[in-house]
Amino acid sequence: MAGNGIFAEILDGDVFKYYADGEWKKSNSGKSVPIVNPTTRRTHYKVQACSQEEVNKVMEAAKAAQKLWAKTPLWKRAELLHKAAAILKEHKAPIAECLVKEIAKPAKDAVTEVIRSGDLVSYCAEEGVRILGEGKFLVSDSFPGNERTKYCLTSKIPLGVVLAIPPFNYPVNLAVSKIAPALIAGNSLVLKPPTQGAVAALHMVHCFHLAGFPKGLISCVTGKGSEIGDFLTMHPAVNCISFTGGDTGISISKKAGMIPLQMELGGKDACIVLEDADLDLVAANIIKGGFSYSGQRCTAVKVVLVMESVADSLVEKVKAKVVKLTVGPPEENCDITPVVSESSANFIEGLVMDAKQKGATFCQEYRREGNLIWPLLLDNVRPDMRIAWEEPFGPVLPVIRIGSVEEGIHHCNASNFGLQGCVFTKDINKAMLISDAMETGTVQINSAPARGPDHFPFQGFKDSGIGSQGITNSINMMTKVKSTVINLPSPSYTMG
Ligand code: NAP
């Protein structure tokens, strides 16, 4: 159970401690932040509300620990990461339990998130050993006007202190996708977990603690993003920010200094359906892509753009599957569980009411109890409706009927977002042309958008992000290139 057994030391009374300088601590602020269970709408856990002074201490310790860590052999860094991954997987049950209680993730999916996170950490350790163990060697005579008098040696070196801020929907997976690349590359890491999901993240951090990482190298400060977020992101000790979340990322980008940023932000992933598509395959992917974890995924299908001639048939197939989705508590592994908060449910309801007022066709009756919203397909959505453009982050999916493929591409590209998209057709040539025309970081052909596997490059265009993730890209992003040039008094050419 959460906060028990090997996790007992992370709990003080009914408040979970924060992690700094290799120890679990109570905040001097004397304040805590409640974490409301989305299902019961009652406070389920509490975490420390860390103070600015505590953040300063964490940053100081992170700076000092990084200097030593950068001198730790690469194989040893990898060894510790493998150890943390094994501990994480071994203790998946209590961590998954936190995900069920804090963010209403269906129980089975919660376990999958922890296992996937352990796999990600191990893969990152292996990939880091490969790509950081090699550098480049350049000779000067490949550039016009030069002889071979200069040898350039380049290698990838750490950035320093990496600040990681993940969102509520994958508080473990999207934390380790930042922690593992940062550490293997020789950085120290300060984690600010999302408030909903903080307790799962604290349990995950304890697994790294048990693996034996040096004091101060990893820290986890808790508190509301709206209260300590700016102080963290503008802290002079921070050398890199890796953030995943919504529009907050855009304001962080505007305020951050001259440091590398990795931003994974929102999406409005379009699903373009052509006349020749396999409609059973499309319907199955719309259900999986649009309604898994109640639509609270950055890469959820968030708008269906279907050719008018096959729209009736597709909508019928999707409707038949929507009625089969189970709705209820995450403990019972229901397909649709309560959305993360009341304000989120209210926001989704606002989009639904706007669509109703403007004449969308409701394929099911709109139903809500507390934070639980029944799955809803909205047909005949038009561009003047908010749901055509905004990210509901809930189990509500708009269908826009299109008269041409160009219309679908135009809608996709008119969005502020550009995370992923998908196209369904049996014609690979058409699929390639459409993929090239879609201004999104990834296009899936004949499958719903998805983030994984975790080593694939993953990036958002426009307001969906800065930089590219995926294990290799994240490791590279959390390093900088250092060159040393050997200058020879006279040209030297290697003879065979
Ligand atoms: P969010 O409200 O932007 O919060 C994300 C994180 O930022 C949380 O840890 C939050 O902490 C913190 N935060 C809030 N205010 C801050 C500030 N001023 N400075 C620094 N940090 C601050 O997003 P969310 O509701 O958790 O997640 C949903 C969004 O994430 C959706 O838009 C979704 O599309 C996006 N997302 C994108 C990806 C991707 O890979 N592109 C993946 C998953 C999710 P608190 O919880 O304490 O407020």
Side-chain angles (χ1 to χ4, degrees):
M1 255 183 68
N4 270 294
I6 61 153
F7 297 106
E9 67 175 293
I10 77 171
L11 188 59
D12 177 68
D14 64 346
V15 186
F16 283 88
K17 299 182 201 167
Y18 76 103
Y19 184 63
D21 219 11
E23 286 173 26
W24 291 97
K25 300 185 180 192
K26 271 172 72 175
S27 168
N28 291 332
S29 73
K31 291 189 203 149
S32 64
V33 180
I35 296 172
V36 176
N37 181 327
T39 312
T40 62
R41 292 190 288 156
R42 296 212 181 93
T43 298
H44 200 96
Y45 300 125
K46 287 181 197 159
V47 291
Q48 309 288 329
C50 291
S51 66
Q52 295 189 351
E53 192 194 336
E54 283 155 352
V55 169
N56 282 336
K57 283 197 181 140
V58 155
M59 293 296 175
E60 240 173 72
K63 271 206 145 354
Q66 193 271 325
K67 300 272 179 258
L68 293 173
W69 182 243
K71 292 180 189 161
T72 304
L74 195 47
W75 66 265
K76 197 154 192 171
R77 292 183 218 160
E79 196 176 76
L80 281 170
L81 283 169
H82 281 301
K83 205 168 161 193
I87 298 171
L88 191 62
K89 284 188 223 189
E90 188 188 338
H91 298 286
K92 55 187 178 294
I95 304 176
E97 180 199 312
C98 300
L99 294 172
V100 171
K101 303 298 179 196
E102 288 182 285
I103 58 164
K105 183 160 282 193
K108 262 196 210 152
D109 297 348
V111 173
T112 307
E113 177 174 344
V114 183
I115 296 172
R116 170 184 175 187
S117 301
D119 291 340
L120 190 160
V121 174
S122 292
Y123 191 103
C124 191
E126 287 169 21
E127 185 70 349
V129 165
R130 276 183 225 122
I131 65 174
L132 297 167
E134 285 182 1
K136 264 191 172 180
F137 170 60
L138 292 90
V139 287
S140 49
D141 64 318
S142 52
F143 199 87
N146 285 270
E147 290 189 294
R148 194 170 292 195
T149 51
K150 291 173 188 286
Y151 294 161
C152 178
L153 307 170
T154 74
S155 60
K156 288 174 191 149
I157 64 165
L159 295 173
V161 179
V162 174
L163 172 64
I165 307 182
F168 82 83
N169 58 348
Y170 291 88
V172 175
N173 183 261
L174 291 175
V176 300
S177 74
K178 304 171 188 315
I179 295 173
L183 295 182
I184 193 69
N187 300 289
S188 58
L189 191 287
V190 177
L191 173 68
K192 192 330 249 168
T195 297
Q196 300 291 141
V199 177
L202 290 168
H203 281 70
M204 173 271 294
V205 167
H206 192 52
C207 297
F208 282 77
H209 168 77
L210 294 173
F213 282 90
K215 271 170 65 166
L217 188 72
I218 307 167
S219 331
C220 184
V221 287
T222 49
K224 283 192 181 160
S226 52
E227 285 168 19
I228 54 164
D230 281 354
F231 191 72
L232 278 161
T233 53
M234 292 195 280
H235 201 286
V238 170
N239 303 111
C240 168
I241 301 174
S242 178
F243 175 91
T244 308
D247 287 351
T248 319
I250 297 177
S251 51
I252 292 175
S253 306
K254 288 180 181 150
K255 287 185 251 177
M258 286 269 290
I259 54 171
L261 300 177
Q262 190 177 42
M263 291 283 156
E264 311 181 302
L265 310 182
K268 184 73 184 171
D269 293 7
C271 171
I272 300 183
V273 185
L274 271 55
E275 285 160 319
D276 69 342
D278 173 344
L279 295 185
D280 290 313
L281 178 73
V282 183
N285 273 278
I286 286 177
I287 292 293
K288 181 171 77 122
F291 295 103
S292 299
Y293 188 34
S294 309
Q296 297 173 110
R297 295 165 49 248
C298 57
T299 54
V301 170
K302 292 186 184 131
V303 57
V304 177
L305 301 161
V306 56
M307 290 294 287
E308 180 68 61
S309 59
V310 292
D312 283 345
S313 175
L314 179 65
V315 166
E316 280 313 309
K317 284 178 191 289
V318 178
K319 267 167 75 176
K321 289 184 186 294
V322 167
V323 292
K324 292 192 186 139
L325 292 171
T326 53
V327 182
E331 288 83 354
E332 290 173 20
N333 269 314
C334 290
D335 298 312
I336 305 294
T337 55
V339 295
V340 70
S341 64
E342 192 173 344
S343 63
S344 182
N346 291 344
F347 175 77
I348 297 163
E349 186 165 293
L351 294 179
V352 171
M353 291 309 142
D354 174 77
K356 185 174 187 179
Q357 196 205 332
K358 292 175 182 157
T361 307
F362 280 51
C363 298
Q364 297 79 23
E365 201 185 322
Y366 173 65
R367 191 170 161 202
R368 171 183 171 186
E369 277 172 25
N371 296 349
L372 188 60
I373 293 177
W374 269 251
L376 178 62
L377 190 70
L378 296 174
D379 195 5
N380 294 303
V381 165
R382 289 191 321 267
D384 63 329
M385 300 175 192
R386 285 175 56 203
I387 195 133
W389 306 104
E390 295 180 42
E391 185 186 32
F393 234 57
V396 178
L397 182 60
V399 177
I400 298 180
R401 293 166 175 242
I402 51 172
S404 66
V405 174
E406 289 69 29
E407 204 184 315
I409 294 170
H410 175 77
H411 186 92
C412 168
N413 292 350
S415 170
N416 289 341
F417 293 119
L419 190 57
Q420 287 209 358
C422 60
V423 53
F424 285 85
T425 170
K426 293 192 184 108
D427 185 335
I428 187 68
N429 299 324
K430 274 191 198 156
M432 281 310 300
L433 288 172
I434 295 168
S435 170
D436 285 344
M438 287 169 80
E439 292 164 6
T440 61
T442 303
V443 174
Q444 303 268 351
I445 296 173
N446 291 327
S447 186
R451 190 191 161 93
D454 287 321
H455 66 306
F456 278 14
F458 180 73
Q459 52 280 320
F461 294 171
K462 300 190 273 186
D463 284 355
S464 289
I466 301 175
S468 178
Q469 297 93 50
I471 289 171
T472 313
N473 287 347
S474 290
I475 295 172
N476 284 329
M477 184 268 167
M478 291 178 187
T479 61
K480 54 190 168 193
V481 174
K482 164 87 183 194
S483 299
T484 300
V485 179
I486 300 169
N487 289 276
L488 303 176
S490 56
S492 175
Y493 289 86
T494 327
M495 293 300 136

